[in-house]
């Protein structure tokens, strides 16, 4: 009788271990499928908008304050929140960050009605701050990112 009770007690932990492994495998599979579907449903970090930049047809002087270029959307699906937009211009080895503040080295001008976003229907102008970025004619490289991803568009403009 004592021997039979030991056998019954020994079988129970084996069955419990098999059940725990089976439940763990099933749960891992369910979690994998769930996590995979969540990852597939996430939107892109950037945007599918694309822009064109061109010379603003203003003369460039050494004094600063000149309008360098205008930027407009080729294709725009989204208004871009300025909190996530970065615009940088480079001439040779020198780079400037652009901002809406008039004291910026490179000033962004907007024609839209909402200053918190780059609207799908508006165009921008980039102007020099107090210091000159370009004197006469030069090629300005343009870098525009949204949420850390480069926005498709013109990467350099020759201004005169």
């Amino acid at each position: 009788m004592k021997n039979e009770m030991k056998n019954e007690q020994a079988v129970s932990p084996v069955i419990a271990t098999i059940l725990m492994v089976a439940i763990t495998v099933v749960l891992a599979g369910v979690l994998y499928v769930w996590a995979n579907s969540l990852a597939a449903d996430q939107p892109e970090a950037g945007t599918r908008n694309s822009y064109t930049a061109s010379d603003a047809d203003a003369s460039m002087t050494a004094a600063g304050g000149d309008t360098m270029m205008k930027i407009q959307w080729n294709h725009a699906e989204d208004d871009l929140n300025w909190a996530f937009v970065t615009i940088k211009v480079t001439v040779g080895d020198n780079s400037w960050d652009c901002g809406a503040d008039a004291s910026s080295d490179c000033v962004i001008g907007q024609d839209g009605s909402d200053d918190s976003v780059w609207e799908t229907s508006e165009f921008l102008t980039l102007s020099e701050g107090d210091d000159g970025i370009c004197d006469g004619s030069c090629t300005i490289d343009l870098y525009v990112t949204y949420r850390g991803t480069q926005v498709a568009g013109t990467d350099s403009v020759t201004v005169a």
Side-chain angles (χ1 to χ4, degrees):
M1 177 92 167
K2 285 187 177 191
N3 221 4
E4 287 178 20
M5 288 180 79
K6 285 184 182 179
N7 287 341
E8 285 179 20
Q9 290 175 352
V11 172
S12 181
V14 171
I15 292 173
T17 303
I18 291 171
L19 286 174
M20 284 181 14
V21 169
I23 290 171
T24 302
V25 168
V26 169
L27 185 59
V30 169
L31 288 174
Y32 173 78
V33 170
W34 176 69
N36 197 23
S37 70
L38 280 179
D41 293 340
Q42 292 299 309
E44 295 179 39
T47 181
R48 290 193 285 200
N49 292 10
S50 63
Y51 65 89
T52 300
S54 58
D55 185 5
D57 295 326
S59 60
M60 300 301 297
T61 65
D66 300 322
T67 302
M68 299 179 291
M69 67 180 75
K70 58 184 174 181
I71 302 172
Q72 60 190 30
W73 292 118
N74 272 344
H75 172 78
E77 296 177 0
D78 310 307
D79 289 341
L80 303 186
N81 186 323
W82 281 112
F84 304 111
V85 176
T86 302
I87 298 179
K88 182 178 289 217
V89 295
T90 302
V91 176
D93 293 333
N94 300 315
S95 291
W96 296 269
D97 292 322
C98 300
D101 183 10
S103 66
S104 298
D105 293 328
C106 169
V107 180
I108 301 169
Q110 295 178 257
D111 78 326
S113 60
D114 186 352
D115 289 342
S116 66
V117 295
W118 182 0
E119 298 170 82
T120 58
S121 60
E122 78 178 320
F123 70 89
L124 307 178
T125 55
L126 297 186
S127 303
E128 297 173 320
D130 293 335
D131 297 327
I133 292 176
C134 180
D135 181 11
S137 177
C138 65
T139 299
I140 300 175
D141 294 324
L142 180 62
Y143 303 95
V144 179
T145 61
Y146 181 67
R147 294 186 180 265
T149 302
Q150 187 166 353
V151 178
T154 308
D155 57 1
S156 67
V157 176
T158 300
V159 298

